[in-house]
Amino acid sequence: MMNVETVRDFCLSLPEVTEDFPFDETTLVFRIRGKIFAMIDLENTQWFVLKCEPELAVELRERYAEIAPAWHMNKRHWNQINLFGELPDSLVISMICHSYDAVVSKMPKRMREGLAATGHNITF
């Protein structure tokens, strides 16, 4: 089962990912070239927040009880994942990659240079 340490390790393994605490001392944020793609509150590690394409976000929420619209975020584009649930690690990893790729794909071309897609697809 994924936990805050394995999530952090995987996020930081992706190309050019950095981490910081821009909001407070407990909300760990992961960025690609300055753009946020993931967040987790270190005081409540149950919930992990990821960006998601809107149609896929709805489909994931309908399919898995552990996935819900992210609290305090644009619910159309952000999901929160219950890491204490029954989601397979492979799905969580695919969702992290999807979030990373979604953020990269929205960057201006000059910012995307040198970054490749992760190659992960979300499979159910």
Side-chain angles (χ1 to χ4, degrees):
M1 182 169 82
M2 302 270 310
N3 60 36
V4 66
E5 291 87 11
T6 55
V7 161
R8 179 178 179 265
D9 289 346
F10 186 77
C11 287
L12 291 174
S13 76
L14 296 171
E16 296 190 38
V17 170
T18 59
E19 62 182 347
D20 65 353
F21 293 89
F23 307 116
D24 54 39
E25 295 85 34
T26 63
T27 306
L28 179 59
V29 169
F30 299 96
R31 301 175 189 259
I32 173 61
R33 296 194 174 170
K35 304 290 183 184
I36 296 171
F37 74 94
M39 293 180 278
I40 193 164
D41 186 332
L42 298 179
E43 288 184 345
N44 181 10
T45 59
Q46 175 179 3
W47 295 104
F48 179 48
V49 177
L50 293 167
K51 191 150 195 172
C52 192
E53 294 299 324
E55 297 80 22
L56 181 57
V58 170
E59 188 175 344
L60 288 166
R61 293 170 196 165
E62 289 173 352
R63 188 173 289 239
Y64 300 101
E66 296 90 349
I67 301 174
W71 193 61
H72 280 314
M73 299 297 289
N74 180 331
K75 289 159 183 36
R76 187 167 188 269
H77 296 279
W78 292 88
N79 279 337
Q80 61 187 27
I81 294 93
N82 181 346
L83 292 177
F84 298 171
E86 300 296 320
L87 291 178
D89 290 354
S90 59
L91 179 60
V92 176
I93 287 170
S94 292
M95 291 176 68
I96 293 169
C97 291
H98 173 79
S99 181
Y100 178 96
D101 291 344
V103 170
V104 169
S105 74
K106 301 292 186 210
M107 290 178 175
K109 185 177 181 180
R110 62 178 168 68
M111 282 186 70
R112 285 194 318 263
E113 286 183 19
L115 290 173
T118 62
H120 280 79
N121 292 315
I122 295 180
T123 55
F124 300 100

